[in-house]
Short mmCIF file of all heavy atoms in Angstrom, two decimals:
data_model
loop_
_atom_site.label_atom_id
_atom_site.label_comp_id
_atom_site.label_asym_id
_atom_site.label_seq_id
_atom_site.Cartn_x
_atom_site.Cartn_y
_atom_site.Cartn_z
N ARG A 230 1.43 2.90 12.40
CA ARG A 230 2.15 2.73 13.71
C ARG A 230 2.53 4.10 14.30
O ARG A 230 3.70 4.32 14.75
CB ARG A 230 3.42 1.88 13.47
CG ARG A 230 3.03 0.42 13.14
CD ARG A 230 4.28 -0.50 13.13
NE ARG A 230 3.89 -1.87 12.86
CZ ARG A 230 4.73 -2.88 12.77
NH1 ARG A 230 6.07 -2.67 13.00
NH2 ARG A 230 4.30 -4.07 12.52
N GLY A 231 1.56 5.00 14.22
CA GLY A 231 1.78 6.31 14.83
C GLY A 231 2.51 7.30 13.98
O GLY A 231 2.66 8.47 14.43
N VAL A 232 3.01 6.91 12.79
CA VAL A 232 3.72 7.83 11.92
C VAL A 232 2.77 8.29 10.76
O VAL A 232 2.24 7.46 10.10
CB VAL A 232 4.97 7.16 11.33
CG1 VAL A 232 5.73 8.09 10.40
CG2 VAL A 232 5.88 6.72 12.51
N PRO A 233 2.69 9.58 10.56
CA PRO A 233 1.86 10.07 9.42
C PRO A 233 2.32 9.49 8.08
O PRO A 233 3.50 9.41 7.83
CB PRO A 233 2.01 11.62 9.50
CG PRO A 233 2.49 11.89 10.89
CD PRO A 233 3.29 10.68 11.29
N VAL A 234 1.35 9.16 7.26
CA VAL A 234 1.64 8.64 5.94
C VAL A 234 1.64 9.76 4.90
O VAL A 234 0.68 10.54 4.86
CB VAL A 234 0.63 7.51 5.52
CG1 VAL A 234 0.93 7.00 4.13
CG2 VAL A 234 0.71 6.36 6.51
N GLU A 235 2.62 9.80 4.03
CA GLU A 235 2.68 10.84 3.01
C GLU A 235 2.62 10.25 1.62
O GLU A 235 3.00 9.07 1.41
CB GLU A 235 4.02 11.63 3.11
CG GLU A 235 5.29 10.72 2.98
CD GLU A 235 6.57 11.44 3.22
OE1 GLU A 235 6.93 11.58 4.41
OE2 GLU A 235 7.16 11.94 2.24
N PRO A 236 2.04 10.91 0.66
CA PRO A 236 1.95 10.43 -0.72
C PRO A 236 3.32 10.36 -1.38
O PRO A 236 4.26 11.08 -0.90
CB PRO A 236 1.00 11.36 -1.41
CG PRO A 236 1.09 12.61 -0.63
CD PRO A 236 1.37 12.24 0.80
N ALA A 237 3.48 9.62 -2.42
CA ALA A 237 4.77 9.48 -3.07
C ALA A 237 5.02 10.61 -4.07
O ALA A 237 4.11 11.15 -4.67
CB ALA A 237 4.79 8.12 -3.80
N ARG A 238 6.28 10.92 -4.21
CA ARG A 238 6.75 11.91 -5.21
C ARG A 238 7.31 11.20 -6.40
O ARG A 238 8.15 10.32 -6.25
CB ARG A 238 7.78 12.85 -4.58
CG ARG A 238 8.23 13.97 -5.50
CD ARG A 238 9.07 15.00 -4.76
NE ARG A 238 10.19 14.42 -4.04
CZ ARG A 238 11.38 14.17 -4.66
NH1 ARG A 238 11.55 14.46 -5.93
NH2 ARG A 238 12.38 13.61 -3.95
N PRO A 239 6.76 11.49 -7.64
CA PRO A 239 7.25 10.80 -8.82
C PRO A 239 8.77 10.92 -8.98
O PRO A 239 9.33 12.02 -8.79
CB PRO A 239 6.55 11.49 -9.97
CG PRO A 239 5.31 11.99 -9.29
CD PRO A 239 5.73 12.42 -7.94
N GLY A 240 9.45 9.79 -9.26
CA GLY A 240 10.87 9.86 -9.51
C GLY A 240 11.68 9.71 -8.23
O GLY A 240 12.93 9.53 -8.30
N ALA A 241 11.04 9.80 -7.05
CA ALA A 241 11.81 9.68 -5.83
C ALA A 241 12.23 8.23 -5.61
O ALA A 241 11.57 7.31 -6.02
CB ALA A 241 10.96 10.16 -4.64
N ASN A 242 13.36 8.10 -4.89
CA ASN A 242 13.89 6.71 -4.61
C ASN A 242 13.47 6.26 -3.22
O ASN A 242 13.95 6.81 -2.22
CB ASN A 242 15.44 6.76 -4.77
CG ASN A 242 16.06 5.38 -4.64
OD1 ASN A 242 15.31 4.40 -4.39
ND2 ASN A 242 17.34 5.27 -4.83
N TYR A 243 12.59 5.29 -3.20
CA TYR A 243 12.10 4.76 -1.93
C TYR A 243 12.59 3.31 -1.76
O TYR A 243 12.05 2.53 -0.97
CB TYR A 243 10.58 4.74 -1.92
CG TYR A 243 9.99 6.16 -2.05
CD1 TYR A 243 9.23 6.52 -3.14
CD2 TYR A 243 10.21 7.09 -1.06
CE1 TYR A 243 8.68 7.76 -3.23
CE2 TYR A 243 9.65 8.34 -1.16
CZ TYR A 243 8.92 8.71 -2.25
OH TYR A 243 8.37 9.98 -2.38
N ALA A 244 13.72 2.97 -2.40
CA ALA A 244 14.23 1.60 -2.35
C ALA A 244 14.69 1.17 -0.95
O ALA A 244 14.67 0.00 -0.62
CB ALA A 244 15.41 1.44 -3.32
N ASP A 245 15.06 2.17 -0.10
CA ASP A 245 15.49 1.81 1.23
C ASP A 245 14.39 1.41 2.16
O ASP A 245 14.60 0.90 3.28
CB ASP A 245 16.33 2.89 1.88
CG ASP A 245 17.64 3.10 1.13
OD1 ASP A 245 18.09 2.18 0.50
OD2 ASP A 245 18.22 4.22 1.23
N GLY A 246 13.12 1.74 1.76
CA GLY A 246 11.98 1.44 2.66
C GLY A 246 11.54 -0.03 2.53
O GLY A 246 11.76 -0.67 1.55
N LEU A 247 10.98 -0.47 3.62
CA LEU A 247 10.37 -1.83 3.65
C LEU A 247 9.00 -1.72 2.96
O LEU A 247 8.13 -0.98 3.42
CB LEU A 247 10.26 -2.36 5.07
CG LEU A 247 9.52 -3.66 5.23
CD1 LEU A 247 10.32 -4.81 4.61
CD2 LEU A 247 9.25 -3.96 6.71
N VAL A 248 8.76 -2.52 1.87
CA VAL A 248 7.51 -2.50 1.21
C VAL A 248 6.46 -3.33 1.99
O VAL A 248 6.70 -4.52 2.22
CB VAL A 248 7.65 -3.02 -0.20
CG1 VAL A 248 6.32 -3.08 -0.96
CG2 VAL A 248 8.63 -2.15 -1.02
N VAL A 249 5.41 -2.69 2.35
CA VAL A 249 4.34 -3.35 3.11
C VAL A 249 3.01 -3.16 2.43
O VAL A 249 2.56 -2.04 2.16
CB VAL A 249 4.28 -2.77 4.55
CG1 VAL A 249 3.11 -3.36 5.34
CG2 VAL A 249 5.60 -2.93 5.30
N ALA A 250 2.40 -4.26 2.07
CA ALA A 250 1.03 -4.24 1.45
C ALA A 250 -0.01 -4.28 2.62
O ALA A 250 0.09 -5.16 3.49
CB ALA A 250 0.85 -5.41 0.51
N VAL A 251 -1.02 -3.37 2.55
CA VAL A 251 -1.98 -3.30 3.61
C VAL A 251 -3.28 -3.91 3.12
O VAL A 251 -3.88 -3.47 2.11
CB VAL A 251 -2.21 -1.83 4.01
CG1 VAL A 251 -3.26 -1.71 5.05
CG2 VAL A 251 -0.92 -1.16 4.45
N ARG A 252 -3.73 -4.94 3.80
CA ARG A 252 -4.88 -5.71 3.36
C ARG A 252 -6.16 -4.88 3.39
O ARG A 252 -6.96 -4.92 2.49
CB ARG A 252 -5.04 -6.97 4.23
CG ARG A 252 -6.15 -7.88 3.66
CD ARG A 252 -6.57 -8.98 4.61
NE ARG A 252 -7.52 -9.81 4.01
CZ ARG A 252 -8.79 -9.60 3.79
NH1 ARG A 252 -9.27 -8.37 4.16
NH2 ARG A 252 -9.62 -10.42 3.23
N GLY A 253 -6.36 -4.12 4.44
CA GLY A 253 -7.56 -3.33 4.60
C GLY A 253 -8.72 -4.19 5.05
O GLY A 253 -8.61 -5.36 5.40
N GLY A 254 -9.95 -3.59 4.99
CA GLY A 254 -11.07 -4.28 5.51
C GLY A 254 -12.03 -4.91 4.40
O GLY A 254 -13.17 -5.26 4.75
N ALA A 255 -11.52 -5.05 3.19
CA ALA A 255 -12.35 -5.63 2.12
C ALA A 255 -12.60 -7.09 2.43
O ALA A 255 -11.81 -7.77 3.03
CB ALA A 255 -11.67 -5.44 0.78
N PRO A 256 -13.72 -7.61 1.99
CA PRO A 256 -14.04 -9.04 2.21
C PRO A 256 -13.08 -9.96 1.44
O PRO A 256 -12.58 -9.59 0.40
CB PRO A 256 -15.50 -9.16 1.69
CG PRO A 256 -15.64 -8.06 0.69
CD PRO A 256 -14.84 -6.92 1.21
N ALA A 257 -12.90 -11.16 1.99
CA ALA A 257 -12.04 -12.14 1.32
C ALA A 257 -12.61 -12.60 -0.03
O ALA A 257 -11.91 -13.01 -0.92
CB ALA A 257 -11.81 -13.31 2.20
N ASP A 258 -13.96 -12.54 -0.17
CA ASP A 258 -14.67 -12.97 -1.38
C ASP A 258 -15.27 -11.69 -1.93
O ASP A 258 -16.44 -11.37 -1.68
CB ASP A 258 -15.70 -14.03 -1.06
CG ASP A 258 -16.32 -14.56 -2.33
OD1 ASP A 258 -15.76 -14.36 -3.47
OD2 ASP A 258 -17.46 -15.14 -2.28
N PRO A 259 -14.55 -10.95 -2.81
CA PRO A 259 -15.12 -9.65 -3.32
C PRO A 259 -16.37 -9.85 -4.19
O PRO A 259 -16.57 -10.94 -4.79
CB PRO A 259 -13.94 -9.09 -4.16
CG PRO A 259 -12.76 -9.82 -3.69
CD PRO A 259 -13.21 -11.16 -3.25
N ALA A 260 -17.15 -8.83 -4.28
CA ALA A 260 -18.32 -8.90 -5.17
C ALA A 260 -17.96 -8.98 -6.63
O ALA A 260 -18.70 -9.57 -7.44
CB ALA A 260 -19.23 -7.62 -4.90
N VAL A 261 -16.81 -8.44 -7.02
CA VAL A 261 -16.40 -8.50 -8.42
C VAL A 261 -15.48 -9.74 -8.62
O VAL A 261 -14.47 -9.83 -7.93
CB VAL A 261 -15.61 -7.20 -8.76
CG1 VAL A 261 -15.11 -7.31 -10.23
CG2 VAL A 261 -16.49 -5.97 -8.58
N PRO A 262 -15.84 -10.70 -9.46
CA PRO A 262 -15.09 -11.90 -9.61
C PRO A 262 -13.67 -11.69 -10.16
O PRO A 262 -13.41 -10.65 -10.77
CB PRO A 262 -15.93 -12.70 -10.59
CG PRO A 262 -17.28 -12.13 -10.57
CD PRO A 262 -17.10 -10.66 -10.30
N ALA A 263 -12.84 -12.68 -10.00
CA ALA A 263 -11.39 -12.52 -10.38
C ALA A 263 -11.30 -12.39 -11.88
O ALA A 263 -10.43 -11.58 -12.38
CB ALA A 263 -10.68 -13.73 -9.92
N ASP A 264 -12.14 -13.06 -12.71
CA ASP A 264 -11.93 -12.97 -14.13
C ASP A 264 -12.39 -11.62 -14.69
O ASP A 264 -12.14 -11.28 -15.86
CB ASP A 264 -12.68 -14.08 -14.85
CG ASP A 264 -14.15 -14.05 -14.67
OD1 ASP A 264 -14.57 -14.04 -13.48
OD2 ASP A 264 -14.94 -14.06 -15.68
#
């Protein structure tokens, strides 16, 4: 959303942030099976 993304620093507290999982462009039926 227009804001640069930075990598995480070990031990830092990011609890105040909203956790958002990004789906990406991978297919819904991956080539590698679930098992």
